Amino acid sequence: AGMVDYNKLYPITVLDEMTDDEIQQIAETGTTLCREMTELEPDSLAQRTGISPGRAEELIKLCAIVIEGSGVKPEKDKK
């Protein structure tokens, strides 16, 4: 895991919020890493996958959070 963290090579599958269909649609474009996702424009991702532009933007932002946070997604507020 150290090498993954050091190089920030997180697969898109680390996103619990992503559905299996979304993972498949994105992977079919050749994109498998969060870092690759953050290099895409939402409209481009939407066009290539059939995911809505709003959802594409959300997934790209989630990938950026994973990368910036060294793979740790922010925890939701616990009540």
Side-chain angles (χ1 to χ4, degrees), residues 26-63:
I26 293 168
E28 285 176 358
T29 71
T31 301
T32 58
L33 299 175
C34 283
R35 183 172 64 192
E36 295 169 328
M37 286 274 289
T38 63
E39 296 169 359
L40 298 173
E41 291 295 323
D43 288 340
S44 172
L45 181 62
Q47 260 188 332
R48 293 166 60 186
T49 61
I51 296 170
S52 74
R55 179 64 173 157
E57 183 175 8
E58 182 181 342
L59 294 175
I60 290 169
K61 286 180 181 177
L62 287 169
C63 279

